[in-house]
Structures are given as structure tokens and as C-alpha cells.
Amino acid sequence: MDANLDSKALAALGPKDKPYKVGAGSGLFLEVTPNGSKLWRLKYRFGGKENKISLGAFPSVSLEQARKARDEARATIQAGIDPSALRKAERAERSKNRAHAKAFRLVMSLDHALTIETPKQILSLSPSQTVAVRAFLLAVESEGSGHAANR
């Protein structure tokens, strides 16, 4: 069906009792599920094994975008890199960056003023406010199981 594919033909594809595939060439296909969703997939071989990766859902990802993603994945394979492994590494890096983005930094100045820095805001406490916060935290720590989070 590769030669006849266009967005109208793809949009007209309806669900069946079982998932089915509509080929778009060079391992690219649209999988139509029984619930009617249409998912772009790419079947490829790497290291002697057959693999599949998802390229997005139709119509959010058009036929042209899916073909471009297929070509990029094929270029990655030609470079000796498994697109699935590359995607997993990118996902792990994003997760690591998100964890860093949620982190915060505490800075105590010589005059005992405390600054709390997050990626989105900075809170500066005067020395007297710092003493009050410290006393509060020490009191909570000494209460132990009395803290609301431990109830």
C-alpha cells in the first residue's frame, strides 16, 4: 500500500478485531489497534536481532514525519548505533537532568544568613530568620516520630 499512502487514506483506516499493520516502506508501518489508535512503528535488524521502535501516533505524527524519523533511525543503524539503545540512553539522561532540576542548594554566608536556591527561585533568610529555622528543625528532629510525616 506504500504507493497509495496519504493522510486521507491513513485517516480512513478503521479498527478490526485484531491489530493489523499497513506498510509504508523500509520497515516503517502503521499499526492499527482494535481500539482505533494508529501507531507508527519501525521494524529493523541490529546485531542479528529484529527490533521495533515506536515513532509516534497518527495523526500527531504525519506520514512525512514518520518517514523522516525512519530515515534518521536508518542512518543511526548505518553508523553502528542501535536506535533503541540510543533512545534509552537519552531517556536516562533526561531523567538525570530532571533529578538535578529538582535539586536545591543551601548557601550559608559568614554572617549566618542562609540562601536556598532552586532552579526556579531563590529564598534568602536573614541571620535571625536562619536561627529561627534552625531551632525549628532541631525541635522537629528531637520530636522524632511526632512529626506529621511519620504519623
Side-chain angles (χ1 to χ4, degrees), residues 20-38:
Y20 67 97
K21 302 173 186 176
V22 178
S26 300
L28 178 65
F29 63 93
L30 187 69
E31 181 178 28
V32 183
T33 64
N35 69 3
S37 64
K38 300 170 186 172

Side-chain angles (χ1 to χ4, degrees), residues 1-2 15 29-30 32 35 38 51 53 57 60 70 73 89 92 94 96 106 108 116 119 126 133 145 148 151:
M1 184 174 180
D2 187 11
F29 63 93
L30 187 69
V32 183
N35 69 3
K38 300 170 186 172
N51 297 302
I53 58 171
S60 298
R70 172 201 61 199
R94 280 194 309 271
K96 179 181 165 189
L106 300 175
M108 181 72 74
I116 304 170
S126 69
V133 168
S145 64
R151 289 184 200 162

